[in-house]
Amino acid sequence: MRLIVSRVHRGLAWVAMAGFVVQFYLVGATLFGGTTFELHRRLGYLPAVPVALLLILALAGRLGRRPIGLSALLLVLVVVQALLPSFRASVPWLAALHPVNALALMGVTAALGRAPRTAPQGLTSSSACRAAPIDNPLSSEWVARR
């Protein structure tokens, strides 16, 4: 079951990434005269849905500290992303962090999407190392006997 949740979690991360890429495209289209910022503003909250689901899946599926931590970080970054434009009039240098935060969003999302599958329950890295065959040069037994 954890393997399925892990796969859905990674797939959902790529869905969120697609939303962020669309947002970047909409800003580029506006900057080069194609449209206004209105579509970027209206669709800006849409990637928050898969991001919230990422955290829920990571917690419910008990995917481990790294996926849960990155999912929580991603949710915090989305909230910050939504708040930054509101500082345009009062603190413009802070509002200017909006595109920088967008890059952070994409980086964390890529880390979640590229994460390895969760190991089956009961198999830890130390038990996997003990179970490694002697021919594996990364095995601690191979190094010890050499």
Side-chain angles (χ1 to χ4, degrees):
M1 184 67 173
R2 280 183 63 202
L3 185 60
I4 293 170
V5 172
S6 177
R7 285 183 179 171
V8 170
H9 186 263
R10 285 192 338 262
L12 198 55
W14 289 116
V15 168
M17 177 66 86
F20 298 141
V21 170
V22 167
Q23 285 296 97
F24 258 97
Y25 171 77
L26 292 173
V27 169
T30 301
L31 292 176
F32 293 103
T35 62
T36 66
F37 277 109
E38 192 57 34
L39 196 54
H40 173 75
R41 283 187 195 116
R42 287 185 184 207
L43 296 179
Y45 299 105
L46 202 55
V49 173
V51 168
L53 290 175
L54 280 169
L55 183 57
I56 292 168
L57 267 177
L59 289 169
R62 299 180 184 184
L63 296 183
R65 286 185 358 190
R66 186 172 190 273
I68 291 172
L70 286 176
S71 298
L73 174 62
L74 190 60
L75 187 59
V76 169
L77 289 174
V78 164
V79 170
V80 168
Q81 187 73 355
L83 293 175
L84 283 174
S86 66
F87 294 111
R88 182 185 308 175
S90 59
V91 193
W93 63 268
L94 187 60
L97 292 174
H98 187 73
V100 175
N101 192 56
L103 292 174
L105 279 167
M106 293 178 82
V108 173
T109 305
L112 283 169
R114 294 177 45 97
R117 291 189 202 114
T118 305
Q121 263 185 341
L123 182 62
T124 63
S125 58
S126 60
S127 66
C129 185
R130 282 193 302 269
I134 194 80
D135 296 339
N136 183 354
L138 299 177
S139 171
S140 59
E141 298 165 344
W142 189 82
V143 175
R145 290 186 183 177
R146 196 138 155 92

